Amino acid sequence: MDQDNQTSTDFILLGFFPEFRYPDLLIILLLVFYILALAGNSVLILLIGLDARLHTPMYFLLSQMSVIDLIFIPSTVPKTVANYCTGSKSISFFACAAQMFFFLFLGLTECMLLTFMAYDRYVAVCRPLRYAVLMWPGVCLQVTALAWVGGALGALVNTWYPMSFPICGPRVINHYLCEILAILRMSCIDTSVYEMVKFVSTVTFLLIPFSLILASYILIFLTVLKMNSPKGRHKALTTCCSHLTVVSLFFGQAMFVHLTPDSSHTPKQDQIGAVLGTIVTPMLNPLIYSLRNKEVLEALKKCMGRCCD
């Protein structure tokens, strides 16, 4: 390990699954996922911006999700690849804090946007005649702004607090990114007060949104069961299927990380959870939202037709 340029406040990241026998293969897969995520989310944002048929609240929220994914994956992957290629494992105190902030900021914002997307689907299926009133553009902009600001404030508190703790012993993190659990394990002082802050944040930004999403889909499915038209039932379920898939991926990973006891986490499990949240999910989201969505596929065909003309 080259520590010539390491300062006393730097941390050491052991890297992307350091015990794996074929690290070159992991880095290649990481770069492939990185390129696919950037390309898929960029194309989706472009299609939503160019096609007037996609200028609806649902697709506006979907574009915000793609913006999150476009920021999410570059916040970790370039540093991981650069450290591997250069042989350096150090990360500065401020770069570590920045990684933690963006990881939390984007995750919290995505959580709130997923909740509002569930409400959008609820109104579309259960209150279709009031959709234009309840989901007018001003409401979408206000809620989206609230999600971004709320995510930033929540992330700021949960980054500044643990990063202010004094560190004892080696500043080594068995991960490819800086994470709160690793910082807490290195802390010299009692972190019980922060544990309470973390609990309140988890309830506010994870359990309450999940409960609201669950309630929305229970009402949606009850409404679908009452529909007489098979075509109407199929259309309603199809529009919700993609969102439910993304919700399952997001909350499954988030609940494993934040609701299971910290002592039960191994470094390998922490890395798997982080990979799912910061790399795999941003790559899959554009595919999930487009493959079963006729409007997006038609917009893509239309755009490709224009390019070929």
Side-chain angles (χ1 to χ4, degrees):
M1 185 191 308
D2 183 9
Q3 300 182 19
D4 293 340
N5 298 322
Q6 182 190 346
T7 68
S8 59
T9 59
D10 286 353
F11 294 95
I12 300 299
L13 295 176
L14 294 185
F16 197 63
F17 296 101
E19 74 284 354
F20 193 72
R21 293 179 58 186
Y22 306 102
D24 291 349
L25 177 61
L26 282 180
I27 294 299
I28 291 172
L29 287 174
L30 190 63
L31 286 172
V32 170
F33 287 175
Y34 178 70
I35 293 170
L36 289 175
L38 290 181
N41 285 289
S42 297
V43 169
L44 195 54
I45 292 173
L46 183 65
L47 291 176
I48 293 172
L50 292 178
D51 198 308
R53 293 173 299 177
L54 303 182
H55 293 175
T56 64
M58 182 180 75
Y59 289 109
F60 171 75
L61 295 171
L62 181 54
S63 71
Q64 296 299 300
M65 294 286 293
S66 290
V67 170
I68 288 175
D69 289 338
L70 280 178
I71 305 173
F72 225 142
I73 196 164
S75 68
T76 56
V77 172
K79 178 63 177 175
T80 303
V81 175
N83 279 2
Y84 176 78
C85 293
T86 61
S88 171
K89 295 181 181 293
S90 66
I91 183 171
S92 71
F93 176 88
F94 291 105
C96 182
Q99 272 197 346
M100 285 177 56
F101 173 79
F102 279 104
F103 182 81
L104 292 168
F105 167 43
L106 298 170
L108 295 177
T109 304
E110 183 172 2
C111 185
M112 287 185 280
L113 287 176
L114 285 172
T115 306
F116 191 54
M117 290 176 75
Y119 174 73
D120 172 79
R121 293 298 82 207
Y122 161 76
V123 175
V125 175
C126 303
R127 299 289 185 270
L129 298 180
R130 300 195 63 195
Y131 186 84
V133 176
L134 296 175
M135 295 298 297
W136 64 286
V139 171
C140 293
L141 290 174
Q142 291 170 12
V143 173
T144 301
L146 180 64
W148 284 97
V149 173
L153 292 176
L156 188 62
V157 171
N158 284 280
T159 300
W160 172 80
Y161 203 171
M163 291 301 286
S164 66
F165 295 157
I167 302 297
C168 293
R171 304 168 72 89
V172 178
I173 300 175
N174 190 2
H175 214 302
Y176 68 94
L177 55 83
C178 286
E179 59 153 4
I180 292 177
L181 291 180
I183 301 297
L184 294 179
R185 289 169 186 149
M186 292 186 283
S187 174
C188 302
I189 63 173
D190 179 22
T191 61
S192 58
V193 175
Y194 174 71
E195 292 294 337
M196 181 57 66
V197 173
K198 181 184 174 186
F199 173 76
V200 172
S201 298
T202 301
V203 171
T204 304
F205 291 102
L206 190 62
L207 293 183
I208 292 177
F210 179 75
S211 299
L212 293 173
I213 291 172
L214 185 62
S216 296
Y217 274 101
I218 289 174
L219 293 173
I220 287 171
F221 287 132
L222 290 175
T223 301
V224 169
L225 290 175
K226 295 176 183 178
M227 291 180 177
N228 296 322
S229 169
K231 185 177 180 181
R233 285 197 298 267
H234 176 74
K235 182 179 180 181
L237 291 175
T238 300
T239 59
C240 297
C241 183
S242 298
H243 182 251
L244 268 177
T245 304
V246 173
V247 165
S248 300
L249 285 172
F250 177 85
F251 281 95
Q253 177 266 338
M255 288 184 175
F256 168 76
V257 172
H258 297 289
L259 294 183
T260 55
D262 297 346
S263 58
S264 68
H265 293 190
T266 65
K268 185 175 181 180
Q269 289 173 334
D270 289 339
Q271 288 216 35
I272 291 173
V275 167
L276 290 175
T278 64
I279 299 171
V280 176
T281 300
M283 179 196 69
L284 291 179
N285 280 350
L287 296 176
I288 293 170
Y289 278 115
S290 61
L291 290 179
R292 294 180 60 86
N293 191 309
K294 292 182 179 180
E295 292 174 327
V296 173
L297 291 176
E298 288 175 2
L300 179 60
K301 291 177 183 178
K302 183 179 177 181
C303 185
M304 292 178 65
R306 288 178 180 175
C307 295
C308 295
D309 289 341

